[in-house]
């Protein structure tokens, strides 16, 4: 056991306030009918800040502010002028990247190397990318004069707090909509820093509104009559509830939900590269990734070799202080998520799968889980079916490409998949047959704002990113 002590010099780049209000109509305001909650650092359990909880009246205020901004300023504004604001926001994100990365790691628990090198650069890239579309919507293949929808109500999860915000807000603003966004209860702080960035960019008041709170706040937002478009990323269960509540209204809906991706390794794949891809696929962001490669399918003939390489590589992973640049695996985002991971892994052992983790010293405070693999997993095991959303990999085997396809598709989800092979023809053959929105070949967890992302089956509908991501926010 060792004491977790955040590196003081990196911590000091963030100017954390003791408490935060709601961001409505361009100002931080006190909640009228809600209370407050604490956002904590999952690596130390220290309280980072007290955050306002928006009640239904606050959500109503935010939607009205967004509607006013839509009618009076943002809707009528020419695309080239909207683009200037988005470019300005993108540049400020780059300028304040270090501050954003440290705050993201403090509030979420993810390693600073990931927030610094992956999350924040992608956030800026999304704003740059969609800024470029704002004055070219008539050339997006969506008709000559596509129109915005109005106020978008957006609800996001805790695994990539600022990146999910960017995926939602950048296309909505580029297409002329205004937004009310609810971040996850456990990770509200970078969304509030983003609100400050909107002020810094002189974004007209009401174009972006941030209402913090728990599930009830999200529910009040998606059920509000003034919302024309609901965009939700989160669990399949909550997605279902939202689909039910939106059914029969005029609201448009996109859902980005859970996943249980297969990462498929053939016997002609370069083993070292595949092992890196497997590790990145499941241990990136502690496995809190909707498209994580949480089911490894290995061709039987290379099973021993791949497994030995994987165990060797896992033994090198450093678990610990998210603010340490050498950390590979940070903290689990919340006590509740840790409990879910523990429960599912206990079920995995009880069902007869064999559990293995490298020797790993975990801090005594905070929420931690050692990188774990299960072998001897069968397709009926819960750990092969349920989304664990943690650093836990289930290993299965296959003999033929057809068997790999069958096993990979044997899930209610359909968000992503990975293929490792030397043969281009096999990549195309597999990609044609895999029911997954994204198929990576000889790589995994690669994201780009130009590329549409989204699921089949119970992983949701609609696409975010790329030209396709514009459609969700336009009447075409
Ligand atoms: P959820 O529990 O579904 O929460 C997502 C968001 O919805 C949070 O802001 C949550 O607020 C809010 N919420 C909860 N109940 C609600 C309700 N009845 N009405 C409206 N909003 C409600 O998911 P999570 O645990 O935060 O995130 C993990 C899940 O997200 C995983 O299943 C993962 O696969 C999925 N995910 C999917 C993607 C894509 S792109 N497909 C990306 C990331 C994550 P609270 O935070 O207060 O609960």
């Amino acid at each position: 056991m060792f004491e977790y002590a955040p590196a003081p010099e990196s911590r000091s780049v963030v100017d954390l306030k003791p408490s935060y209000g709601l961001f409505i109509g361009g100002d931080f305001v006190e909640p009228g009918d809600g209370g407050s909650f604490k956002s904590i650092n999952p690596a130390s359990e220290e309280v980072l800040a007290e955050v306002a909880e928006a009640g239904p009246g606050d959500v109503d205020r935010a939607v009205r502010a967004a509607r006013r901004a839509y009618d009076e300023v943002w809707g009528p504004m020419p695309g080239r002028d909207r683009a200037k604001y988005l470019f300005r926001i993108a540049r400020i994100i780059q300028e304040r990247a270090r501050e954003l990365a440290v705050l993201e790691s403090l509030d979420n628990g993810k390693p600073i190397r990931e927030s610094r090198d992956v999350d924040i650069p992608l956030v800026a890239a999304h704003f740059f990318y969609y800024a470029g579309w704002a004055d070219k919507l008539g050339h997006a293949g969506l008709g000559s004069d596509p129109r915005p929808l109005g106020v978008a109500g957006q609800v996001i999860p805790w695994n990539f707090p600022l990146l999910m915000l960017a995926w939602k807000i950048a296309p909505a603003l580029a297409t002329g909509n205004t937004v009310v966004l609810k971040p996850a209860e456990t990770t509200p702080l970078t969304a509030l820093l983003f609100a400050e960035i909107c002020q810094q960019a002189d974004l007209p008041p009401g174009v972006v509104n941030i209402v913090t709170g728990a599930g009830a706040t999200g529910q009040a937002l998606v059920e509000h009559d003034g919302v024309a478009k609901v965009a939700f990323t989160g669990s399949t269960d909550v997605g279902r509830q939202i689909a039910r509540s939106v059914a029969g209204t005029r609201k448009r809906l996109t859902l980005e939900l859970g996943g249980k991706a297969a990462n498929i390794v053939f016997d002609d794949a370069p083993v070292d590269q595949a092992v890196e891809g497997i590790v990145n696929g499941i241990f990136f962001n502690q496995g809190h990734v909707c498209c994580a490669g949480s089911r490894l399918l290995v061709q039987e003939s290379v099973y021993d070799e791949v497994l030995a390489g994987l165990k060797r590589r896992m033994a090198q992973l450093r678990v610990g202080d998210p603010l340490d640049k050498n950390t590979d695996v940070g903290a689990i985002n919340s006590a509740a998520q840790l409990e879910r991971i523990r429960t599912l892994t206990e079920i995995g052992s009880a069902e007869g799968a064999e559990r293995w983790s490298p020797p790993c010293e975990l801090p005594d405070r905070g929420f931690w889980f050692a990188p774990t693999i299960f072998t001897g997993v069968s397709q009926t095991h819960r750990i092969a079916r349920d989304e664990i959303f943690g650093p836990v990999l289930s290993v299965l085997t296959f003999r033929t490409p057809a068997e790999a396809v069958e096993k990979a598709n044997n899930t209610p989800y359909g968000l992503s998949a990975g293929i490792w092979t030397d043969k281009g023809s096999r990549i195309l053959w597999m990609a044609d047959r895999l029911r997954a929105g994204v198929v990576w070949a000889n790589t995994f967890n690669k994201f780009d704002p130009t590329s549409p992302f989204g699921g089949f089956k119970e992983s949701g509908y609609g696409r975010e990113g790329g030209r396709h991501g514009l459609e969700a926010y336009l009447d075409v």
Side-chain angles (χ1 to χ4, degrees):
M1 298 290 193
F2 60 88
E3 278 290 314
Y4 167 80
E9 72 285 3
S10 45
R11 171 78 197 253
S12 67
V13 302
V14 175
D15 177 23
L16 259 180
K17 298 174 181 54
S19 65
Y20 288 85
L22 307 168
F23 186 65
I24 297 178
D27 285 318
F28 284 94
V29 299
E30 291 297 316
D33 56 356
S36 67
F37 61 96
K38 293 175 174 40
S39 194
I40 64 162
N41 177 346
S44 64
E45 297 175 59
E46 71 170 315
V47 174
L48 293 169
E50 189 87 21
V51 179
E53 178 162 14
D58 300 309
V59 170
D60 182 56
R61 262 200 298 169
V63 174
R64 284 172 194 278
R67 183 70 214 189
R68 228 176 0 260
Y70 174 74
D71 287 336
E72 294 170 9
V73 189
W74 200 249
M77 188 183 283
R80 63 176 179 276
D81 292 336
R82 291 200 306 273
K84 285 182 200 160
Y85 286 104
L86 290 172
F87 279 125
R88 203 181 286 166
I89 288 171
R91 280 196 299 271
I92 298 172
I93 288 166
Q94 288 182 320
E95 283 161 20
R96 299 180 70 172
R98 190 151 175 247
E99 187 186 352
L100 288 164
V102 170
L103 186 57
E104 196 75 311
S105 283
L106 281 172
D107 206 20
N108 170 280
K110 66 175 69 203
I112 188 74
R113 202 152 42 81
E114 292 178 6
S115 42
R116 184 194 63 187
D117 297 346
V118 182
D119 294 57
I120 307 305
L122 277 173
V123 170
H126 269 272
F127 279 97
F128 277 119
Y129 175 75
Y130 279 110
W133 271 117
D135 62 352
K136 303 174 192 69
L137 298 176
H139 306 278
L142 302 169
S144 59
D145 188 22
R147 299 295 172 91
L149 302 172
V151 176
Q154 306 179 317
V155 179
I156 57 172
W158 43 262
N159 57 342
F160 292 93
L162 201 61
L163 186 56
M164 290 299 105
L165 173 149
W167 282 26
K168 296 273 179 287
I169 292 185
L173 262 46
T175 45
N177 300 275
T178 56
V179 307
V180 180
L181 176 131
K182 191 200 90 71
E185 186 183 7
T186 58
T187 53
L189 297 181
T190 44
L192 295 165
L193 186 50
F194 178 81
E196 285 180 33
I197 288 173
C198 292
Q199 288 178 324
Q200 193 184 342
D202 276 332
L203 190 72
V207 173
V208 168
N209 304 273
I210 309 284
V211 289
T212 42
T217 305
Q219 192 174 347
L221 176 58
V222 302
E223 289 178 359
H224 195 289
D225 285 343
V227 166
K229 153 83 191 174
V230 173
F232 173 78
T233 296
S235 60
T236 297
D237 281 349
V238 174
R240 269 199 204 100
Q241 283 178 41
I242 291 177
R244 274 197 292 271
S245 83
V246 165
T249 71
R250 283 179 306 168
K251 292 173 194 167
R252 293 256 297 266
L253 175 65
T254 40
L255 297 173
E256 299 277 6
L257 308 174
K260 190 75 185 175
N263 205 356
I264 306 163
V265 179
F266 285 94
D267 58 7
D268 61 345
V271 171
D272 289 348
Q273 227 175 298
V275 164
E276 276 313 303
I278 296 164
V279 166
N280 172 45
I282 186 62
F283 302 122
F284 170 61
N285 203 32
Q286 295 74 247
H288 300 329
V289 182
C290 49
C291 49
S294 54
R295 285 183 301 150
L296 173 62
L297 300 185
V298 194
Q299 198 155 20
E300 264 183 22
S301 44
V302 284
Y303 175 82
D304 290 339
E305 193 185 349
V306 170
L307 219 51
L310 178 60
K311 287 183 173 177
R312 263 198 310 277
R313 184 66 183 86
M314 283 174 67
Q316 296 165 350
L317 293 176
R318 294 181 59 155
V319 184
D321 179 4
L323 292 188
D324 182 333
K325 285 176 223 153
N326 296 312
T327 292
D328 299 301
V329 181
I332 299 303
N333 178 249
S334 65
Q337 186 58 25
L338 180 59
E339 191 48 40
R340 178 177 163 79
I341 297 168
R342 283 189 177 143
T343 304
L344 278 163
T345 48
E346 280 157 19
I347 290 172
S349 300
E351 285 183 333
E354 192 178 323
R355 177 178 181 158
W356 184 85
S357 293
C360 182
E361 204 182 357
L362 298 177
D364 55 355
R365 291 204 59 185
F367 316 127
W368 305 92
F369 200 87
T372 299
I373 55 175
F374 279 96
T375 51
V377 178
S378 91
Q379 294 191 80
T380 53
H381 285 166
R382 285 274 303 276
I383 50 169
R385 309 195 63 78
D386 291 13
E387 185 179 44
I388 301 175
F389 224 57
V392 180
L393 178 67
S394 299
V395 185
L396 298 96
T397 58
F398 68 92
R399 285 188 185 164
T400 62
E403 190 187 343
V405 168
E406 195 188 315
K407 286 189 170 167
N409 287 341
N410 185 12
T411 164
Y413 296 112
L415 195 53
S416 64
I419 308 165
W420 298 84
T421 175
D422 208 26
K423 289 192 189 66
S425 57
R426 181 177 281 161
I427 291 171
L428 297 175
W429 190 90
M430 293 288 294
D432 254 2
R433 287 159 180 80
L434 291 169
R435 296 294 294 155
V438 181
V439 179
W440 284 293
N442 295 323
T443 187
F444 208 94
N445 277 338
K446 280 272 180 296
F447 306 97
D448 190 289
T450 64
S451 171
F453 185 93
F456 289 134
K457 302 194 278 184
E458 289 184 20
S459 291
Y461 42 79
R463 293 291 177 266
E464 291 186 314
R467 184 180 62 80
H468 301 71
L470 297 167
E471 199 171 346
Y473 291 96
L474 289 169
D475 243 334
V476 295

